[in-house]
């Protein structure tokens, strides 16, 4: 390696020469860049002192930053800065800000909350966000529901009851409707007769003779439909058995069927196969009591309440 | 005295290789090694257990199908994430995950706490055709999961493999007894490798995850796995300020 500096095309070289003639130009970095680099080093030093940084033995430098929050005993407590402490403080601050709202929603009877315009609009915006994060996957946007799977919450028809308390119970504890399959207990003609009867109840076209036979079966000991759906077939809200006398269908896709044969087939499918998949998850534990109350109000408003 | 010359590095490949490796391992050493030395990284919470044989097979399918390319399983301690997904993830919650599924790509939502959020029926429908329940979804259809019988002939071997990296699946009576002490009898039964196949069949039939009790499909396993995600720790029993101290 030659040590004397050589110039080629007017640029300084580093003085390194390989293979006799390979040289390295020496183009120093611009000054602003160099100072920028030194600035990042200074930044790192400040960062190391303020935030948790270097590991030392079985611990680490905690940094000078700290976060203050309230612990379970209600006392203020400080801990070195970290994302969890920061989140806890922020959560508590946000809760304190929303406290006037949530306190009212938690303490006032539902009816009064709906009468207060300010509270109502708070419920609407908080409820909409909660609903789309947690409920819309099943009940669809706006609570429109999905026939065959998830009930419509935007109508004034309730399976388990549309009072505030019933809606709250549904959301907090979940629901699971059950109807036994009849494919084995009854023969095909009986299921067919029952289907015609159920359709006639809902004001659909049905074969009168079959419907009459179905009516007897409905109230008979063998099928015992009346036991769950009631003598009037209007359903029982405590077990969520459907009202069969209205035009609202959830499980049997009657509205989607093109003709009477299709409608009969849809109802037969439900009677023969039974129902066990209608599971509404329980939200207690996953959502706070305040959030469940907000959702109760929101869903009640969606359906016009009852 | 030895005088370091850059030229000796540049002209000696062996030395250059060692030097390069030293330089690039600094990042790893600084970021990973301390975690093994620092005492307070693993939160002391109750309830975290290894996956049952069925859940573990579901997890294998989750990895096989590449669900992690669109879904993370790591709720970060930020307010917006906490509001949408629930409590932030703890280190302790993935202590039996090999490899963990934290991920970094979120085309779809985080799944760390999806367990219990939906019904089994919803998951089945959603996996067969996501658009049928979420019209605007861009998640692909996975219709073969419900049609493909689950191959569980090698589930014991898979559990033994996990055992070698520290998951406490048991093979002997003594290990089983230890698990009873640690996790309770109900869980310990599920962790016993010699009974793995029987346990898997039992859980699939009792849980009826895919809505068909007559056979065990890959759907059964995947839904069983999804339904347990993030449900092991009961956060109503944990004071938030205690978790702060593990950082």
């Amino acid at each position: 390696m030659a040590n004397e500096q050589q110039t080629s095309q007017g640029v300084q070289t580093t003085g390194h020469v390989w293979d006799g003639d390979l040289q390295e130009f020496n183009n120093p970095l611009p000054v602003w860049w160099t100072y920028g680099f030194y600035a990042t080093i200074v930044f790192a030093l400040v960062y190391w002192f303020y935030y948790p940084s270097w590991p030392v033995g079985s611990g680490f430098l905690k940094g000078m930053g700290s976060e203050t929050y309230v612990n379970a005993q209600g006392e203020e407590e400080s801990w070195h800065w970290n994302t969890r402490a920061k989140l806890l403080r922020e959560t508590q601050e946000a809760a304190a800000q929303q406290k006037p709202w949530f306190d009212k929603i938690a303490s006032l009877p539902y009816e009064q909350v709906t009468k207060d315009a300010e509270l109502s609009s708070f419920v609407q915006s908080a409820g909409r966000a909660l609903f789309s994060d947690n409920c819309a996957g099943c009940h669809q946007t706006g609570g429109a529901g999905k026939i065959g799977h998830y009930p419509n919450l935007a109508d004034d028809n309730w399976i388990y009851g549309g009072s505030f308390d019933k809606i709250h119970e549904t959301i907090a504890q979940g629901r699971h409707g059950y109807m036994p399959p009849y494919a084995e207990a009854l023969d095909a003609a009986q299921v067919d007769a029952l289907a015609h009867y159920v359709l006639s109840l809902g004001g659909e076209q049905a074969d009168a003779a079959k419907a009459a036979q179905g009516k007897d079966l409905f109230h008979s000991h063998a099928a015992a439909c009346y036991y769950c759906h009631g003598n009037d077939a209007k359903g029982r809200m405590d077990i969520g058995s459907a009202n069969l006398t209205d035009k609202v269908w959830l499980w049997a896709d009657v509205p989607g069927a093109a003709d009477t044969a299709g409608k009969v087939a849809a109802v037969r499918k439900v009677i023969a196969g039974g129902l066990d998949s209608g599971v509404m998850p329980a939200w207690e534990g996953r959502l706070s009591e305040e959030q469940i109350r907000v959702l109760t109000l929101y869903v009640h408003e969606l359906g016009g309440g009852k | 005295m030895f005088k370091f010359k850059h030229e000796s590095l540049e002209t000696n490949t062996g030395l250059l290789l060692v030097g390069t490796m030293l330089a690039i391992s600094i990042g790893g050493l600084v970021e990973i090694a301390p975690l093994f030395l620092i005492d307070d990284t693993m939160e002391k919470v109750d309830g975290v257990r290894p996956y049952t044989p069925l859940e573990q097979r579901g997890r294998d399918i989750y990895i096989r199908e590449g669900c992690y390319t669109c879904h993370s399983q790591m709720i970060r301690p930020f307010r917006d994430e906490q509001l949408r997904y629930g409590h932030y993830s703890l280190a302790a919650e993935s202590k039996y995950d090999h490899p963990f599924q934290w991920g970094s790509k979120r085309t779809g939502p985080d799944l760390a706490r999806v367990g219990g959020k939906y019904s089994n029926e919803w998951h089945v429908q959603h996996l067969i055709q996501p658009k049928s329940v979420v019209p605007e979804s861009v998640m692909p259809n996975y219709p073969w999961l419900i049609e493909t019988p689950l191959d569980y002939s090698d589930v014991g071997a898979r559990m033994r493999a996990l055992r070698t990296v520290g998951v406490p699946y048991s093979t002997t009576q003594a290990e089983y007894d230890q698990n009873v002490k640690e996790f309770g009898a109900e869980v310990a039964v599920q962790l016993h490798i010699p009974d793995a196949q029987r346990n898997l069949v039992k859980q699939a039939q009792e849980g009826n995850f895919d809505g068909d009790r007559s056979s065990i499909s890959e759907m059964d396993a995947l839904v069983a796995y999804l339904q347990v995600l993030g449900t092991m720790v009961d956060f109503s029993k944990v004071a938030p300020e205690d978790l702060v101290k593990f950082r």
Side-chain angles (χ1 to χ4, degrees), chain A residues 6-25:
Chain A
Q6 295 183 353
T7 33
S8 155
Q9 296 160 8
V11 183
Q12 282 280 315
T13 71
T14 56
H16 301 166
V17 179
W18 284 274
D19 290 345
D21 58 354
L22 263 183
Q23 303 176 15
E24 247 180 302
F25 282 172

Side-chain angles (χ1 to χ4, degrees), chain A residues 23-38:
Chain A
Q23 303 176 15
E24 247 180 302
F25 282 172
N26 184 14
N27 283 316
L29 288 162
V31 176
W32 66 264
W33 197 97
T34 331
Y35 282 108
F37 178 64
Y38 294 143

